């Protein structure tokens, strides 16, 4: 008997896409470097005595995996899927005679393995939310993230973005903090104290004035009120040093040198000649 592993929640794959690809420039740069350079060494069919056979059917298929993707597009998708989700599933579309016509890559968002009681994969389940299919294992090439295999499920890979999620999340929050400070004229959060009790109208007016971005730079006369800083300014945040440390940690998980990813940490200590 076989049991079907539940499909990974769509929010999980999309969460890593949002956190580590759409919102974080450093991890996105690492993913892009790996995706763009993996195709520089083209896939080829190597025969024992004849060497590389450019006319072998699989070599021709490598050059045009399917009608909608070039070889570089195909490999870039595979690399990106491995980094974000940990796995890539390549479905082999066959003719009626069994010949492989096209290769179609899918990520963890849509495909999950079907596992038997003894822990081996017997097939794969595709679910787009509108269409559900089951494919035999022989029709799918399951590629796993070679850097992070799941020790509890050896047939699965783990997300590189997930492994770097702590520094990614911290850097995202740090950049949002800096953005907020910039929107507020680099004035940190603080507390306004009045010696006398203010009316509701006065309190509302002060709140409105402080939130009005159209009057940026116009002085606010506080009168008998005093201001106490409660947040950190840009100097106290030491943004450059903290950012460099987080960038280096993210690049370390991806195994992409900070200079190659063109990050602040990499460019700060590298020259063009050694990059």
């Amino acid at each position: 008997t076989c049991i079907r592993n539940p499909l990974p929640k769509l929010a999980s794959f999309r969460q890593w896409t949002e956190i580590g690809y759409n919102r974080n420039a450093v991890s996105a740069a690492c993913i892009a470097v790996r995706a763009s350079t993996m195709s520089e060494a083209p896939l080829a069919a190597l025969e024992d005595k004849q060497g590389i056979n450019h006319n072998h059917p699989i070599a021709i298929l490598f050059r045009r995996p399917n009608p909608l993707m070039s070889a570089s597009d195909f490999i870039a998708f595979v690399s990106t899927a491995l980094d974000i989700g940990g796995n890539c599933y390549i479905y082999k579309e066959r003719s009626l005679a069994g010949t492989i016509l096209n290769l179609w890559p899918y990520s963890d968002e849509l495909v999950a393995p079907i596992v038997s009681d003894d822990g081996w994969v017997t097939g794969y389940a595709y679910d787009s939310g509108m269409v559900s299919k089951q494919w035999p294992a022989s029709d799918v090439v399951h590629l796993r993230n070679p850097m992070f295999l799941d020790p509890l499920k050896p047939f699965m890979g783990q997300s590189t973005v997930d492994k770097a999620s702590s520094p990614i999340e911290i850097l995202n929050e740090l950049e949002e903090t800096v953005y907020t400070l910039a929107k507020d004229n680099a004035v940190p959060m603080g507390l306004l104290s009045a010696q006398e009790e203010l009316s509701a109208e006065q309190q509302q007016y002060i709140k409105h004035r402080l939130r009005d971005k159209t009057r940026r730079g116009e002085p606010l006369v506080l009168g008998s009120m005093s201001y106490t800083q409660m947040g950190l300014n840009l100097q106290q945040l030491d943004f450059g040093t903290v950012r460099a440390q987080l960038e280096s940690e993210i690049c370390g998980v991806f195994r992409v040198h900070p200079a190659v990813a063109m990050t602040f940490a990499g460019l700060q200590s590298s020259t063009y000649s050694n990059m």
Side-chain angles (χ1 to χ4, degrees), residues 69-107:
M69 305 178 81
S70 65
S72 58
D73 292 337
F74 180 86
I75 295 175
F77 180 92
V78 169
S79 178
T80 301
L82 291 176
D83 275 331
I84 295 179
N87 302 273
C88 186
Y89 309 90
I90 302 173
Y91 173 66
K92 294 180 278 188
E93 180 187 353
R94 300 179 186 271
S95 66
L96 294 177
T99 304
I100 300 175
L101 300 175
N102 297 297
L103 300 174
W104 298 95
Y106 295 93
S107 68

Side-chain angles (χ1 to χ4, degrees), residues 58-70:
I58 193 67
I60 297 173
L61 188 61
F62 284 157
R63 292 197 291 270
R64 191 68 177 181
N66 60 68
L68 303 180
M69 305 178 81
S70 65

Side-chain angles (χ1 to χ4, degrees), residues 201-217:
E201 291 77 10
Q202 290 174 314
Q203 295 179 28
Q204 195 65 29
Y205 168 76
I206 293 175
K207 290 180 181 179
H208 176 73
R209 278 284 287 105
L210 292 175
R211 292 173 179 169
D212 187 1
K213 302 303 180 185
T214 64
R215 304 177 71 171
R216 175 179 295 182

Side-chain angles (χ1 to χ4, degrees), residues 17-267:
T17 301
E18 180 64 23
I19 291 173
Y21 195 78
N22 295 338
R23 291 179 53 200
N24 192 279
V26 178
S27 59
C30 292
I31 293 171
V33 165
R34 290 158 60 83
S36 61
T37 56
M38 185 180 288
S39 61
E40 290 181 359
L43 293 171
L46 180 64
E47 297 182 330
D48 292 339
K49 296 181 180 180
Q50 298 177 354
I52 294 178
N53 184 353
H54 296 286
N55 296 319
H56 192 282
I58 193 67
I60 297 173
L61 188 61
F62 284 157
R63 292 197 291 270
R64 191 68 177 181
N66 60 68
L68 303 180
M69 305 178 81
S70 65
S72 58
D73 292 337
F74 180 86
I75 295 175
F77 180 92
V78 169
S79 178
T80 301
L82 291 176
D83 275 331
I84 295 179
N87 302 273
C88 186
Y89 309 90
I90 302 173
Y91 173 66
K92 294 180 278 188
E93 180 187 353
R94 300 179 186 271
S95 66
L96 294 177
T99 304
I100 300 175
L101 300 175
N102 297 297
L103 300 174
W104 298 95
Y106 295 93
S107 68
D108 285 299
E109 181 184 9
L110 299 177
V111 177
I114 301 172
V115 185
S116 64
D117 291 338
D118 56 4
W120 294 103
V121 176
T122 59
Y124 292 86
Y126 169 90
D127 190 348
S128 66
M130 299 178 63
V131 178
S132 297
K133 303 177 183 178
Q134 288 194 8
W135 298 321
S138 58
D139 280 349
V140 176
V141 178
H142 182 178
L143 300 178
R144 305 157 186 81
N145 188 342
M147 295 195 302
F148 301 108
L149 293 176
D150 192 332
L152 300 180
K153 297 178 181 178
F155 53 86
M156 295 292 287
Q158 293 185 336
S159 165
T160 312
V161 172
D162 186 11
K163 297 303 179 186
S165 60
S166 293
I168 287 174
E169 289 272 31
I170 295 172
L171 183 56
N172 287 346
E173 292 297 328
L174 184 62
E175 289 184 333
E176 288 184 5
T177 300
V178 173
Y179 174 77
T180 301
L181 278 172
K183 291 279 288 184
D184 291 334
N185 286 337
V187 177
M189 181 178 62
L191 175 67
L192 286 176
S193 304
Q195 297 180 0
E196 300 178 357
E197 185 175 353
L198 300 178
S199 65
E201 291 77 10
Q202 290 174 314
Q203 295 179 28
Q204 195 65 29
Y205 168 76
I206 293 175
K207 290 180 181 179
H208 176 73
R209 278 284 287 105
L210 292 175
R211 292 173 179 169
D212 187 1
K213 302 303 180 185
T214 64
R215 304 177 71 171
R216 175 179 295 182
E218 183 178 336
L220 176 65
V221 180
L222 299 179
S224 59
M225 301 181 70
S226 60
Y227 170 78
T228 303
Q229 179 178 321
M230 297 178 64
L232 299 177
N233 57 34
L234 288 175
Q235 290 74 28
Q236 293 167 328
L237 277 173
D238 196 10
F239 179 68
T241 302
V242 176
R243 179 184 177 87
Q245 293 173 347
L246 294 171
E247 287 179 350
S248 298
E249 188 173 349
I250 293 170
C251 289
V253 176
F254 279 94
R255 299 183 187 177
V256 174
H257 194 281
V260 177
M262 302 289 284
T263 66
F264 172 76
L267 299 178

